[in-house]
Amino acid sequence: MSEITNDRASSPVFTGPSSLGETAPAVELRHVSKSYERTTRALDQIDLRIGVGEFVAVTGPSGCGKSTMLHLIAALDVPTSGSVLIDGRDLTSWRDLSRYRREHVGLVFQLHNLLASQTLLANVEVVMFGTEASVHERRARARDLLAQVDLAGRERRRPTQLSGGERQRVAIARALANHPTLLLADEPTGSLDSVSAGHVLNLFNAVHATGVTIILVTHDLTIAAAAERVIHMRDGAVVADVPTTAPN
Amino acid sequence: MDGSETSVDYIAFMLRGVWAKKTRSIGLAFAVAFAVLIVVTLQVTSSSLEQSAAAVMSVGKANITVVQKGVADILSSTIDEGELGSIRRTPGVTSAVGVLVGTQKVNADNPVFIEIGINPTDLAAFGVTVVAGHPYTASATNQVMLGWRAAANLGLHVGDRFHALGTWNTVVGIYSTGNAFGDAGAMFPLPAVQGYNRLPGVVTLVFVKVANSSSSRAINAVVRRITYAMPQLTTITTASQFGRADVTLVYLKAAVTASSVLAIAIGAVIVGNTMLLSLFERTREFGLLRAVGWTRRRLIGLLLGESLVLALVGAALGVALSFAAISLLGQVPSLRGVLHVTFSANAFARGLATAVGMTILGSLYPSIRAARLVPLKALSYE
Ligand SMILES: Nc1ncnc2c1ncn2[C@@H]1O[C@H](COP(=O)(O)OP(=O)(O)OP(=O)(O)O)[C@@H](O)[C@H]1O
Ligand SMILES: [Mg+2]
């Protein structure tokens, strides 16, 4: 598998002043709580700092709030209280959250990641519409990324013609299209067998090597072991935060 | 990132989205086509009728046509000899030709055969060329000139007999006016038509030529003088002013407008309803697009773009269907001779405007609804 390249990794993406000085964490949660309706408390006073370039796995039993936390970081939802800071800046102060999602974040979900009516190429290109990239550059970038996830020559296929693992690789290619600084993945290997899951993990490792910060949600501890750091959650709170021994 | 991208890959993306929902897209295109069919057919037939009627006037190649004000039907206009004389004496007028126009049912194929009473001395000023035989004399009875189209339709030649004005007439000449409507009728000496209709000294229309005809100011000045001196008359300088004299056409136009508005409204409701239904099945798709950074505007742009594609397909289909419909209408015997169908660029433009207006109108609300979806809710939508 060819190497994942990320031009952004070498140049600082966020150049504005940060409240924490030079070493602002890539992601910081301050006393973050999230309640649905009145009763369910999905997140309870979470405090968390994830450094630039870290590869973090988040694990925990079903319903402990993993997805909820990821959605808050992706600015797909807002906390009930507390604040989410990206590169030291509170997300509520970002002027354009669509742009944040498009240019700073790469998102991979467990299911329904792709547009069934579109080709693989278009599924990757879709996030580049409206960026400064020309048609030619978008095409080239999408082809390049598909090649990097071992799908060269299948650009014109539809997602329905792919296996689950292949689909997740397309989703990862799309997530990387705009050179994100933060890759968020929610159970990307959840529906995959161990061989496919291994494939996808290799990709994450390659992306990590380019300096991208990665938060990988999984309930599978063997998958979590691929990260540098594992955060265990239970009932909406962080109960353990440990470095792994896995070599990276 | 705005909603109006036109790059090839974006358009391909949009087209694939439309094509993926074939049944829905084809259904919508047909709904659009149906509305276009109604609007274009009504428009073309009504403007054909208008032009046929207006053609009576354009036969005369006049600068101004004078008609009685407020008549239900242009052919029921009456202008007497005194008025005709006053028009002739109006400063700036070089010639004023009075004609009496009537219609007759010749046979089932020619239900509205036009009969024009005109003095032989006025023929040249009126723009009539005799192509066979010779003109009738001023006071002749039982003499007729046929338009070349009428002669061809009826299979008549110079020297044949033709029944009109309650009697048998001899065809003394065949004429051409260069106007389809005029060439499908017949001309008689003015007193013969006046006598048959018991309208001595009366004409229907007066065709006026103005000295300085290239100057619209000169024409307007003559118009003002005529209508000031004779407020019971009105003037027509272009075909579109025709309705000023002919109330029937005003009603016809109103009916066409009302039907068109109704067709567009019904079409817009169908488009809107279908789009709203498809919103549910596409919720996840829209949620995904928003989650990966599409703005609301871009999503609205995509949906309106999809509608525009359907509008263009529907318009093409609708215009084709309406041409077929109009051609069929042209075969209906009672409309033959009345309906001189002219497919104008205007008809195309109306078809396109109908299609685009209706789909944009219908898809605006569903598009905004789609853009308002909370991305997360949309993503977890089952
Ligand atoms: N939209 C919602 N409305 C109400 N409650 C919700 C909603 N989304 C999540 N919850 C609740 O919040 C809690 C945390 O949910 P979350 O999806 O974050 O769990 P999770 O750790 O991702 O679980 P899983 O491993 O099963 O995906 C759960 O109790 C869930 O029922
Ligand atoms: Mg989850």
Side-chain angles (χ1 to χ4, degrees):
Chain A
M1 184 173 300
S2 56
E3 212 156 288
I4 298 284
T5 54
N6 191 331
D7 316 342
R8 284 260 179 97
S10 48
S11 61
V13 167
F14 179 70
T15 50
S18 89
S19 54
L20 294 180
E22 308 267 0
T23 55
V27 178
E28 184 178 2
L29 272 60
R30 288 188 190 163
H31 316 306
V32 168
S33 295
K34 176 71 185 179
S35 304
Y36 292 106
E37 284 100 45
R38 255 164 298 163
T39 47
T40 335
R41 184 141 230 199
L43 292 182
D44 191 7
Q45 297 280 335
I46 298 253
D47 280 292
L48 189 66
R49 291 162 71 101
I50 295 170
V52 174
E54 264 196 284
F55 183 177
V56 179
V58 178
T59 64
S62 183
C64 70
K66 306 181 294 292
S67 296
T68 303
M69 186 169 86
L70 208 68
H71 294 152
L72 296 182
I73 296 170
L76 290 172
D77 208 348
V78 288
T80 313
S81 65
S83 41
V84 178
L85 290 81
I86 302 298
D87 295 327
R89 252 176 86 201
D90 195 321
L91 268 184
T92 54
S93 74
W94 286 67
R95 207 167 41 85
D96 184 348
L97 287 177
S98 290
R99 184 167 183 176
Y100 164 70
R101 292 201 289 265
R102 188 168 69 246
E103 293 179 0
H104 291 258
V105 177
L107 266 179
V108 182
F109 301 99
Q110 177 173 357
L111 291 169
H112 314 309
N113 253 310
L114 305 179
L115 301 166
S117 58
Q118 301 291 339
T119 62
L120 301 192
L121 199 66
N123 264 289
V124 177
E125 279 185 291
V126 70
V127 293
M128 293 186 276
F129 290 138
T131 61
E132 307 90 80
S134 67
V135 178
H136 181 76
E137 287 164 345
R138 294 200 292 242
R139 281 265 146 96
R141 174 86 180 143
R143 275 180 196 287
D144 187 34
L145 284 165
L146 285 173
Q148 287 178 31
V149 298
D150 280 344
L151 288 168
R154 294 202 251 174
E155 293 88 355
R156 298 282 159 199
R157 295 280 181 88
R158 305 289 157 129
T160 45
Q161 299 167 294
L162 299 185
S163 73
E166 288 165 338
R167 286 183 209 179
Q168 287 307 60
R169 275 145 55 189
V170 177
I172 293 168
R174 181 190 64 207
L176 296 175
N178 288 329
H179 307 286
T181 54
L182 185 57
L183 183 61
L184 305 176
D186 195 352
E187 305 271 15
T189 57
S191 59
L192 306 183
D193 61 43
S194 59
V195 175
S196 299
H199 242 83
V200 169
L201 267 190
N202 287 340
L203 265 172
F204 276 89
N205 279 324
V207 172
H208 177 224
T210 67
V212 174
T213 308
I214 301 179
I215 304 177
L216 169 66
V217 167
T218 177
H219 61 266
D220 185 335
L221 290 176
T222 58
I223 299 282
E228 299 170 298
R229 174 181 165 195
V230 180
I231 293 169
H232 290 280
M233 292 179 69
R234 181 160 298 172
D235 297 333
V238 174
V239 291
D241 186 345
V242 292
T244 61
T245 50
N248 274 290
Chain B
M1 192 185 210
D2 62 29
S4 58
E5 174 144 0
T6 53
S7 64
V8 281
D9 52 348
Y10 179 74
I11 288 171
F13 181 85
M14 201 163 73
L15 291 178
R16 258 183 251 118
V18 173
W19 186 240
K21 306 264 174 279
K22 276 184 234 36
T23 322
R24 178 177 65 90
S25 298
I26 290 170
L28 279 180
F30 267 98
V32 172
F34 188 68
V36 170
L37 167 71
I38 290 173
V39 170
V40 172
T41 306
L42 285 175
Q43 168 64 22
V44 168
T45 50
S46 82
S47 77
S48 294
L49 290 178
E50 184 184 353
Q51 272 165 18
S52 298
V56 182
M57 300 175 309
S58 56
V59 171
K61 295 187 181 72
N63 301 122
I64 304 165
T65 305
V66 184
V67 203
Q68 187 186 350
K69 202 180 218 166
V71 288
D73 166 357
I74 192 137
L75 296 187
S76 57
S77 160
T78 58
I79 299 174
D80 63 35
E81 271 170 332
E83 290 165 335
L84 177 57
S86 300
I87 294 169
R88 282 210 176 100
R89 288 190 299 275
T90 302
V93 171
T94 49
S95 75
V97 176
V99 299
L100 183 58
V101 185
T103 57
Q104 178 198 336
K105 179 174 170 154
V106 172
N107 55 36
D109 276 354
N110 297 276
V112 195
F113 187 82
I114 195 129
E115 297 166 342
I116 302 171
I118 180 169
N119 284 320
T121 48
D122 286 334
L123 287 174
F126 198 57
V128 178
T129 319
V130 179
V131 293
H134 57 81
Y136 43 73
T137 55
S139 57
T141 50
N142 306 335
Q143 287 192 359
V144 62
M145 279 206 299
L146 288 178
W148 68 267
R149 281 176 193 277
N153 285 346
L154 300 167
L156 295 177
H157 305 277
V158 172
D160 287 345
R161 284 166 17 112
F162 175 62
H163 197 270
L165 304 182
T167 174
W168 283 102
N169 306 275
T170 308
V171 178
V172 294
I174 309 287
Y175 68 84
S176 163
T177 60
N179 171 291
F181 198 76
D183 292 341
M187 290 187 180
F188 303 84
L190 185 55
V193 182
Q194 287 172 334
Y196 174 70
N197 289 294
R198 294 194 183 82
L199 292 168
V202 166
V203 294
T204 315
L205 306 165
V206 176
F207 297 94
V208 175
K209 282 194 179 157
V210 174
N212 188 0
S213 64
S214 61
S215 155
S216 59
R217 283 186 58 200
I219 293 176
N220 286 339
V222 171
V223 166
R224 270 196 306 277
R225 280 177 211 131
I226 293 173
T227 50
Y228 181 75
M230 291 162 282
Q232 72 278 19
L233 302 183
T234 189
T235 61
I236 300 164
T237 46
T238 63
S240 66
Q241 289 181 302
F242 193 59
R244 270 169 46 180
D246 194 328
V247 181
T248 316
L249 266 180
V250 175
Y251 290 144
L252 177 64
K253 278 183 174 171
V256 166
T257 306
S259 316
S260 302
V261 167
L262 205 63
I264 292 170
I266 292 171
V269 168
I270 293 175
V271 170
N273 198 42
T274 313
M275 295 274 290
L276 268 182
L277 283 177
S278 85
L279 205 69
F280 298 114
E281 81 187 68
R282 296 180 73 185
T283 295
R284 213 151 48 203
E285 176 188 345
F286 300 150
L288 181 65
L289 290 173
R290 295 276 289 124
V292 297
W294 275 42
T295 57
R296 291 202 167 94
R297 276 177 68 186
R298 173 155 291 265
L299 190 55
I300 292 175
L302 174 75
L303 293 178
L304 293 185
E306 288 186 9
S307 303
L308 205 60
V309 170
L310 294 175
L312 295 181
V313 174
L317 199 64
V319 168
L321 285 176
S322 62
F323 279 21
I326 292 161
S327 304
L328 284 177
L329 283 178
Q331 306 296 309
V332 175
S334 65
L335 290 175
R336 212 177 290 165
V338 183
L339 201 61
H340 294 288
V341 177
T342 43
F343 300 111
S344 57
N346 186 29
F348 280 105
R350 257 174 205 260
L352 197 62
T354 301
V356 172
M358 156 186 147
T359 47
I360 297 299
L361 208 66
S363 55
L364 207 54
Y365 173 68
S367 305
I368 292 170
R369 275 277 300 263
R372 286 249 173 95
L373 288 171
V374 179
L376 200 56
K377 283 225 176 93
L379 263 179
S380 50
Y381 187 91
E382 292 306 326

